[in-house]
Amino acid sequence: MHQPAPVPRPRVLHLAQPVDGGVARVVLDLVKAQLATGLRVTVACPGGELAARARQLGADVRAWRAARSPGAGLPREVRRLARLVDEVRPELVHAHSAKAGLAGRLAVRGRVPTVFQPHAWSFEAVGGPTAALALRWERWAARWADRVLCVSEAERATGLRAGVRAAYAVVPNGIDLDRFSPAPAAGCLPAPRTADGGPLAVCVGRLCRQKGQDVLLRAWDEVRRTVPDARLALVGDGPDSEVLRRHADPSVHFTGAVADPVPWYRAADLVVLPSRWEGMALAPLEALGCGRPVVVTDVDGARESLPPALAARCLVPPEVPAALAGAVAGLLSDPPLCAALGAQGRRHVLSAHDVRHTAGRVTALYRELLGARTLLPSECRESIHS
C-alpha cells in the first residue's frame, strides 16, 4: 500500500515594522517557538536586528522596504508587500504594530486569515488630526483582521471604547525566564555602577515620548532631594536622546543602545518605566524576572502585569512627576522592601508570564483560525509547555 504523502505544515508570515525594541522581541519569541513545533515561518521586515536574529533562528526572512511611520511611500510599500505575500503564499498572516498592521491589511484585504497585533494602539501615539485619522483607519480595517490580538484586557478595552469593533483575542506578554533571571550568587557580570555605590534606578526603553523618560527626569530632582546619592541610568537610544541629555542632571547616565539589557536589570536596585501608553510593556516583566522591583505608570497592561502587592505600591498615574518621584524615592530608601517586592515579582512572572505559555496560546489561536487543518502534532503541543 502507498503511504499518503505528508501534509505540509502551514506557513505563517510575520510582518513587522518596527524591527527593534519590544515588537522585535515578541516576534522573535514567537518565531523561535513556532519553528520548534515544525511550523514553516517567514518574517518580512525592513532588515535590522529582527531580520538578522530571525535568520539565526532558522526562519525564512524576506526584505520588505518600509519606513517606520506612514508617509508618502505607503502605496509602494503596500504593493511590495502584496507581491511578497503572493510569493510566500502563507496560510496565515500575523501583522505586528501599527505600521505593519496598516500595510499588511491593505495588502492582504482578507484573502488570507490575518491576525493583527497592535502592540499599543496607533491613535494613542499621536495627536490632533493624525490621531483622528488613525482611529478612523483602525475602525475601518478591523474587517480585515480575523483576530485583533491584544496583550492585555486593558488594551482590548481601549480598542472597544474607541469604537474598534473586532473579533478580539487576549494573550498576555511573556518573557524568557531562563534569560531574565536573578544574577547567580557568583560570577555575574553586573552593569557599571557609580563609584560611590549609591542606589541605582534603571529605565530600559527607547528614548521617545511614549516611554516618558522626560517625566522621569522632571521627577529626578525630587528623588535626589530625598536620596542624595541616588543614580539613574537610561538604557536605550531613540529620537529624544539629545533633548533628554540637555535636561539631565549629572547623576543621570545615558548608556546608548545596548545589545543586552539583562546586566542593567541585575545591577538595578529599582527599575522604572514612566510610559504614557502601552499594551503591556515588556520591560517591567523582564525586571521582575530578574528579581528587581519596579515603578510603572498605570497605563494599559500595567495592573495585569503586576502581582497585587506591587500594584498597590508601584503604580503611579502617567505624567505626574511628583507621584513618580515619591514612589521612586520611597523604594530607593528602603532596600529590604525592594528585595521583598522583587522576590514577589519573580514568583509572579514565573506563574503568569512564561513566554512558552504565551507562544502556546498564540499557536492555539492560529489553529482556531485555520479550522480543521492540523497545525501541531500532540508531541509538539506538549513541548511548548515543557
Side-chain angles (χ1 to χ4, degrees):
M1 293 179 60
H2 293 290
Q3 294 293 328
V7 178
R9 295 289 175 83
R11 180 175 294 279
V12 175
L13 173 60
H14 288 279
L15 309 177
Q17 170 61 304
V19 295
D20 54 9
V23 172
R25 294 203 296 279
V26 168
V27 173
L28 288 168
D29 283 338
L30 290 175
V31 167
K32 181 179 179 180
Q34 290 165 6
L35 287 170
T37 66
L39 276 176
R40 298 180 298 160
V41 178
T42 296
V43 177
C45 66
E49 179 186 358
L50 174 57
R53 291 188 59 193
R55 283 193 188 94
Q56 291 172 357
L57 291 172
D60 170 40
V61 176
R62 306 296 180 97
W64 170 48
R65 285 183 293 153
R68 189 179 182 109
S69 301
L74 179 63
R76 290 191 302 275
E77 295 166 352
V78 171
R79 288 194 295 271
R80 291 181 195 127
L81 195 50
R83 288 195 296 269
L84 191 150
V85 170
D86 288 341
E87 292 168 6
V88 173
R89 300 180 65 185
E91 277 74 27
L92 184 141
V93 171
H94 189 154
H96 298 266
S97 203
K99 178 58 183 291
L102 168 62
R105 283 179 286 175
L106 284 172
V108 176
R109 295 183 186 239
R111 294 182 291 120
V112 178
T114 301
V115 175
F116 167 53
Q117 188 164 352
H119 298 275
W121 290 104
S122 59
F123 48 80
E124 293 190 297
V126 290
T130 306
L133 285 172
L135 179 55
R136 287 177 61 189
W137 158 253
E138 293 296 355
R139 289 170 174 168
W140 173 262
R143 70 192 64 198
W144 291 326
D146 294 87
R147 290 292 184 278
V148 172
L149 178 57
C150 294
V151 294
S152 65
E153 289 290 348
E155 185 182 40
R156 183 182 70 87
T158 294
L160 287 172
R161 282 196 304 271
V164 182
R165 306 300 173 195
Y168 284 96
V170 177
V171 178
N173 273 336
I175 59 169
D176 182 343
L177 290 163
D178 294 325
R179 179 186 176 202
F180 296 101
S181 62
C188 66
L189 297 173
R193 293 190 65 117
T194 54
D196 62 9
L200 176 65
V202 169
C203 177
V204 176
R206 188 167 184 259
L207 303 184
C208 61
R209 184 175 181 275
Q210 177 191 359
K211 299 300 181 180
Q213 292 94 346
D214 59 314
V215 182
L216 179 54
L217 291 184
R218 293 203 298 274
W220 191 246
D221 287 344
E222 182 61 32
V223 173
R224 291 269 291 175
R225 280 191 280 273
T226 305
V227 189
D229 59 346
R231 296 295 185 268
L232 171 64
L234 298 185
V235 179
D237 203 354
D240 291 356
S241 175
E242 290 305 314
V243 172
L244 293 170
R245 288 173 187 268
R246 287 199 297 269
H247 292 88
D249 181 87
S251 63
V252 180
H253 175 62
F254 289 79
T255 71
V258 299
D260 184 5
V262 170
W264 285 101
Y265 288 131
R266 290 174 175 172
D269 296 288
L270 176 68
V271 174
V272 186
L273 189 67
S275 299
R276 287 180 165 89
W277 68 88
E278 296 283 356
M280 176 182 282
L282 286 174
L285 298 177
E286 294 168 351
L288 296 177
C290 293
R292 296 300 182 261
V294 297
V295 169
V296 297
T297 44
D298 193 3
V299 294
D300 283 358
R303 288 185 180 273
E304 295 169 58
S305 67
L306 299 178
L310 270 72
R313 282 186 171 271
C314 302
L315 283 177
V316 298
E319 299 193 81
V320 182
L324 182 62
V328 171
L331 286 176
L332 289 179
S333 301
D334 194 340
L337 178 59
C338 276
L341 294 177
Q344 290 180 44
R346 171 69 181 175
R347 291 193 294 271
H348 173 71
V349 294
L350 282 170
S351 65
H353 295 285
D354 187 325
V355 72
R356 294 171 298 179
H357 299 160
T358 299
R361 291 178 64 180
V362 172
T363 302
L365 173 62
Y366 292 176
R367 178 191 292 277
E368 178 184 340
L369 295 179
L370 292 173
R373 282 173 284 184
T374 300
L375 189 61
L376 296 172
S378 59
E379 62 270 18
C380 291
R381 290 201 304 273
E382 292 166 0
S383 73
I384 291 175
H385 301 284
S386 62

